[in-house]
Amino acid sequence: MKELYIDRGITQCRAGLYEDGRLIDLHIENSDIGNLAGNIYIGRIENVVTGLNAAFVNIGTGKNALLHFEDTAGTSDLKRGQDIIVQVIREGAGDKGPRVTGRIRIPGKYIVLLPGSRYTGISRKISDEGLRSRLKNLSKNFAEEGFGLIIRSEASNARDEDIIKEYEYLKLLWQDIVNKCRYIKPPVLLFNSRRFIDYIFREFVKQDIEYIYVNNDEDLTHLKVMIKNFYPASCIKVKYDMYNFSRFDKLERDIEALFNKRINLPSGGYLLIDRTEAFTSIDVNTGSSIANSEDKDIIFNTNIEACSAIRKAVVLLNLSGIILIDFIDMRISEEREQILLFLKEQFKSDRISSRIYGFTSLGLVEMARSRKGKRTSELVYFDEGKDIYSSAFALKSIENTCARLSRQYNKNKFRLHVSSYLFDELGATYKDFQKLMLERYGVFLEFIKADFIENYRFRDYDEEDYAKVELNNKTIMGKVIKYEENNEGVVSIDIKIHD
């Protein structure tokens, strides 16, 4: 059974796809870090560098974006100060700005529209030749001059009229984008392809999902309308689940568990993942699997297990770029070929395109995966090496915890000790967080800056709370009249005992 949990928060939005209780796909967006890939901008060319065969375009996102000449209609049209419509195809990283193209793609549920192109194509994920031929003929019948398209795998089960309807809608959307350019001064965002709920519907919602759980009224209404339009005969059930915290707590725990340094395999083997600036390495180890087994095929079977675990880790951590996999050494060439075939099969369901090149001369499997959005670690951690959460993740966790405690114990005031970094962020990037918590949940939050805290911690007691203390081997309960915590986190409380 497949279920989709959509947890929209003040500082962070999360969507987790589950199959039989296991997290198999994930998308996270932080309100302070936008995912740019797919967004369309009208920008201004700041510099043309013929030696690099590229231009640098100001799209209003910080660092100028890189536009290669090959991604435009031609070099003669590019001039400094020129306005140009571009689309982000790769996120910026480190000191590098994003990469953009002048060849626009507008994604839909069933098709991707290609304005200014005559190309028509079919997704490689559609393998049935008869179906490919039918969809190819269909696209030739309705595709117009200047509007190419790619038919996506989700169109396999769609009605012809629904595919054509979406094609017409995307054409109107493109015309609207072009019309905007006449009245605005660049740089300006023209089209946000990563609008959270639309992106989740387009990339996650399929006919094989049974339940979708949301915690936002607007998302509930929007999804029901979209499902009715795109899947009129489906049995997908959308449920408002704001106060059933078990699902969204599970999603948060599963996200935190992704960053374990060691990923154990069922047979006793394990994976070690190490990311550098140039590439990601994945090392497959036997661990206790050989010592505890008499199975002569244990190395091959452990490598097979590793393929599934590698796919899960790469997708959920959103790893990209060059990935080198060091499988346990196999001497039989047929086994190596089977491992490659099985690994390719695992990545067929990945939303993001990847390519597996095979074994190198050093015996490593080399693969590459497109960069779409931020790595999960960039969204969850401020400093992954020190286990310091990003402000967005920490505040989302606080939001969920306070909402649950408020509901369960009818409590509407909380005091928290927070790190210096998080405290400063609350005064700058997230200055409306406390106001929104009060508006949405009726919860008042007081934050106390504490240098001895790495992330955050709820104060155990507040004045007027009741506390239990040990005194002369007896447990005594009383009302807290004074609570103090020093710079090292040592707590002292005074209580008034009931008469």
Side-chain angles (χ1 to χ4, degrees):
M1 180 177 70
K2 285 189 177 180
E3 300 176 312
L4 180 60
Y5 302 169
I6 303 176
D7 183 7
R8 180 186 285 276
I10 297 170
T11 62
Q12 187 176 79
C13 298
R14 308 162 177 169
L17 180 63
Y18 283 84
E19 184 172 20
D20 298 327
R22 296 176 294 107
L23 183 64
I24 61 171
D25 209 345
L26 176 69
H27 180 71
I28 299 175
E29 285 189 12
N30 290 359
S31 62
D32 64 325
I33 304 177
N35 287 315
L36 303 181
N39 287 354
I40 300 173
Y41 297 84
I42 180 168
R44 177 162 292 161
I45 295 177
E46 296 291 337
N47 198 10
V48 178
V49 185
T50 55
L52 294 176
N53 290 323
F56 289 92
V57 184
N58 178 6
I59 60 174
T61 60
K63 295 183 178 68
N64 288 338
L66 178 67
L67 173 64
H68 287 293
F69 291 164
E70 63 185 21
D71 291 326
T72 66
T75 62
S76 60
D77 296 329
L78 299 184
K79 298 177 182 178
R80 185 176 181 181
Q82 174 186 337
D83 297 347
I84 186 169
I85 298 176
V86 293
Q87 184 172 33
V88 177
I89 56 176
R90 190 175 66 194
E91 301 278 345
D95 295 331
K96 298 178 181 178
R99 182 178 170 184
V100 296
T101 179
R103 306 181 192 277
I104 306 299
R105 296 184 170 203
I106 303 179
K109 188 72 174 174
Y110 301 135
I111 67 172
V112 178
L113 186 71
L114 311 176
S117 172
R118 292 183 294 179
Y119 174 80
T120 59
I122 310 293
S123 168
R124 289 179 297 175
K125 293 182 179 180
I126 300 177
S127 57
D128 183 271
E129 288 301 325
L131 179 59
R132 290 181 65 88
S133 177
R134 185 182 72 78
L135 292 173
K136 188 75 172 178
N137 290 332
L138 174 66
S139 64
K140 287 180 179 179
N141 289 335
F142 68 79
E144 299 177 10
E145 184 72 22
F147 288 98
L149 71 139
I150 299 172
I151 293 185
R152 305 186 68 186
S153 58
E154 192 65 13
S156 300
N157 301 311
R159 299 178 301 179
D160 290 356
E161 55 264 38
D162 290 334
I163 298 173
I164 297 172
K165 180 181 176 182
E166 183 175 69
Y167 179 77
E168 295 298 328
Y169 166 75
L170 293 178
K171 283 199 308 174
L172 291 174
L173 180 60
W174 170 245
Q175 191 59 54
D176 183 57
I177 291 172
V178 173
N179 290 338
K180 283 182 183 178
C181 298
R182 301 174 183 174
Y183 311 105
I184 55 179
K185 182 179 179 180
V188 173
L189 173 66
L190 298 173
F191 172 71
N192 183 1
S193 74
R194 306 301 285 251
R195 183 174 175 264
F196 179 68
I197 198 62
D198 288 335
Y199 179 82
I200 296 304
F201 177 78
R202 187 172 68 239
E203 303 298 333
F204 281 73
V205 178
K206 314 292 182 185
Q207 293 198 67
D208 59 350
I209 290 179
E210 293 190 33
Y211 293 96
I212 302 175
Y213 299 95
V214 300
N215 63 351
N216 179 278
D217 282 325
E218 292 182 5
D219 291 346
L220 177 74
T221 302
H222 188 70
L223 283 172
K224 285 185 173 181
V225 170
M226 296 293 283
I227 289 171
K228 183 178 180 180
N229 289 338
F230 282 87
Y231 302 120
S234 78
C235 297
I236 302 174
K237 300 177 180 65
V238 187
K239 294 191 173 184
Y240 183 67
D241 209 27
M242 181 173 181
Y243 295 112
N244 187 343
F245 299 100
S246 60
R247 292 186 179 87
F248 300 131
D249 285 348
K250 173 179 172 55
L251 177 56
E252 182 166 300
R253 291 194 304 271
D254 288 343
I255 292 171
E256 292 173 326
L258 294 176
F259 302 97
N260 293 334
K261 303 299 181 184
R262 171 171 163 155
I263 299 173
N264 292 322
L265 303 175
S267 65
Y270 61 93
L271 305 181
L272 293 176
I273 300 177
D274 186 31
R275 194 189 65 80
T276 68
E277 188 171 343
F279 62 89
T280 299
S281 66
I282 302 177
D283 188 21
V284 183
N285 296 274
T286 56
S288 61
S289 59
I290 289 182
N292 297 332
S293 175
E294 298 178 358
D295 185 358
K296 62 183 178 65
D297 297 323
I298 189 64
I299 290 178
F300 176 75
N301 292 335
T302 300
N303 283 336
I304 286 288
E305 289 178 355
C307 290
S308 301
I310 288 167
R311 188 269 181 199
K312 178 181 178 181
V314 168
V315 170
L316 297 182
L317 292 171
N318 198 20
L319 302 177
S320 61
I322 298 171
I323 301 172
L324 299 177
I325 306 170
D326 187 6
F327 284 103
I328 306 167
D329 188 39
M330 294 169 288
R331 300 181 184 277
I332 303 174
S333 59
E334 289 81 1
E335 289 186 347
R336 290 157 63 100
E337 288 302 315
Q338 288 182 59
I339 289 296
L340 279 180
L341 288 173
F342 190 71
L343 186 64
K344 290 177 180 178
E345 188 67 28
Q346 294 298 302
F347 277 92
K348 277 186 177 180
S349 60
D350 188 4
R351 292 178 292 108
I352 297 174
S353 62
S354 61
R355 186 170 182 180
I356 298 171
Y357 295 98
F359 283 91
T360 69
S361 58
L362 296 176
L364 306 175
V365 171
E366 182 182 6
M367 67 172 288
R369 186 169 184 263
S370 298
R371 182 176 175 86
K372 300 291 185 182
K374 302 289 185 180
R375 293 190 312 276
T376 306
S377 61
E378 294 178 273
L379 301 168
V380 172
Y381 285 100
F382 166 69
D383 188 334
E384 186 178 350
K386 296 181 180 179
D387 291 333
I388 299 176
Y389 290 133
S390 69
S391 300
F393 185 87
L395 292 176
K396 178 67 179 109
S397 180
I398 289 170
E399 177 185 349
N400 285 6
T401 302
C402 289
R404 183 181 69 250
L405 294 176
S406 174
R407 182 78 172 180
Q408 291 174 345
Y409 300 108
N410 195 30
K411 185 174 181 178
N412 61 5
K413 183 178 180 181
F414 298 91
R415 287 191 177 95
L416 296 95
H417 284 115
V418 297
S419 66
S420 299
Y421 170 74
L422 184 54
F423 187 86
D424 292 342
E425 286 280 276
L426 282 161
T429 308
Y430 301 109
K431 57 186 176 183
D432 292 331
F433 180 72
Q434 288 160 284
K435 182 183 75 172
L436 292 172
M437 284 293 294
L438 190 60
E439 291 176 357
R440 294 188 185 186
Y441 305 103
V443 166
F444 176 80
L445 297 179
E446 180 183 346
F447 292 101
I448 304 166
K449 188 174 184 178
D451 293 331
F452 56 85
I453 297 289
E454 287 188 343
N455 292 297
Y456 68 89
R457 190 175 76 194
F458 283 84
R459 279 181 53 155
D460 297 321
Y461 301 104
D462 293 326
E463 285 75 7
E464 303 300 317
D465 279 349
Y466 286 90
K468 291 181 180 180
V469 297
E470 296 291 330
L471 182 64
N472 297 329
N473 297 321
K474 292 182 180 180
T475 301
I476 300 173
M477 175 175 280
K479 182 177 289 187
V480 177
I481 58 175
K482 186 178 181 182
Y483 179 104
E484 292 182 346
E485 187 163 358
N486 65 20
N487 290 335
E488 297 178 350
V490 178
V491 173
S492 63
I493 61 174
D494 294 339
I495 65 172
K496 180 179 179 182
I497 301 173
H498 282 295
D499 296 330

